[in-house]
Amino acid sequence: MSWLHALIQGLWVILPAYIANGAAPVFGGDSRMDFGKQFHGNDLLGAGKTWEGFLFAITSGTFIGLVQVVLLPRLNQFVASFGFSMPQITVTAAFLLALAAMLGDVVASFFKRRSGTERGASVPLLDQLDFLIFSIPVALALTQITYFTVFLLILITPPIHYLFNLLAYYIGIKEVPW
Ligand code: CTP
Ligand code: MG
């Protein structure tokens, strides 16, 4: 399998996690996931983790999974002419990918607060890869992607994340461009 085929398969499978991660800032609200609690003198998670963002993210990721399930047969017909095939995905897998993505994001904020990093301050690589921490194991367990695909996803995600955040910043749904 070519690297391009492996990469496209990976992006297809991980899409619910990408969408979840991208959706959170759109509907970030005021209901803090840490309920304003502190831990060792710092916010437990910080004001950037809200239930609105979390739930909207998971709903969006699951919805994309549904769209993928509907589109897959036609898409596979289309990409077959390039010698490609897209892996199967289920709505349950999409839900779990989105949930895992948002849990990874929460865990990353937990550790950012423990190291005294302010909400929204950047920690390169962690900020771009946090949502993959748990969604990659879910993808490996529930879909037919290879370790090579995982490797490519880890490589390609920081630049993709960077470009989309820049876009989100300029259209005003993110306060900082990272
Ligand atoms: N967001 C949210 N709820 C979540 C995750 C994200 O409301 N569970 C929204 C918040 O508005 C947040 C934005 O999405 O500011 C960007 O998410 P992220 O970069 O993960 O949060 P930061 O504000 O950068 O905070 P942190 O330093 O904790 O990463
Ligand atoms: Mg951030």
Side-chain angles (χ1 to χ4, degrees):
M1 184 165 43
S2 74
W3 67 268
L4 184 63
H5 191 188
L7 175 62
I8 291 174
Q9 288 196 334
L11 290 173
W12 170 255
V13 155
I14 214 69
L15 191 63
Y18 266 56
I19 295 293
N21 195 54
V26 179
F27 260 84
D30 306 315
S31 316
R32 288 172 59 143
M33 294 180 81
D34 65 6
F35 302 104
K37 287 204 166 37
Q38 301 252 314
F39 186 70
H40 289 282
N42 279 319
D43 286 344
L44 183 62
L45 299 172
K49 303 294 106 137
T50 72
W51 288 110
E52 292 92 338
F54 186 79
L55 294 175
F56 181 67
I58 293 170
T59 310
S60 306
T62 309
F63 176 72
I64 280 298
L66 184 67
V67 173
Q68 287 179 287
V69 169
V70 173
L71 288 184
L72 187 64
R74 272 162 191 256
L75 183 70
N76 263 334
Q77 270 179 1
F78 173 69
V79 297
S81 49
F82 302 95
F84 285 7
S85 72
M86 293 298 165
Q88 209 77 38
I89 184 157
T90 62
V91 176
T92 311
F95 167 74
L96 292 173
L97 283 163
L99 176 66
M102 294 326 288
L103 289 178
D105 180 58
V106 164
V107 168
S109 289
F110 176 81
F111 285 111
K112 282 175 81 172
R113 299 301 89 80
R114 302 292 67 75
S115 68
T117 311
E118 293 287 324
R119 173 257 170 118
S122 91
V123 175
L125 291 183
L126 181 67
D127 285 334
Q128 289 84 45
L129 294 173
D130 56 7
F131 74 100
L132 288 181
I133 299 169
F134 297 125
S135 46
I136 280 185
V138 171
L140 281 168
L142 300 183
T143 73
Q144 280 149 347
I145 56 162
T146 62
Y147 285 102
F148 179 56
T149 294
V150 168
F151 167 74
L152 292 175
L153 280 177
I154 292 171
L155 219 59
I156 198 81
T157 297
I160 292 181
H161 191 278
Y162 178 76
L163 289 177
F164 274 94
N165 275 303
L166 217 55
L167 186 72
Y169 173 70
Y170 282 114
I171 63 176
I173 56 174
K174 276 209 76 169
E175 287 164 26
V176 287
W178 52 77

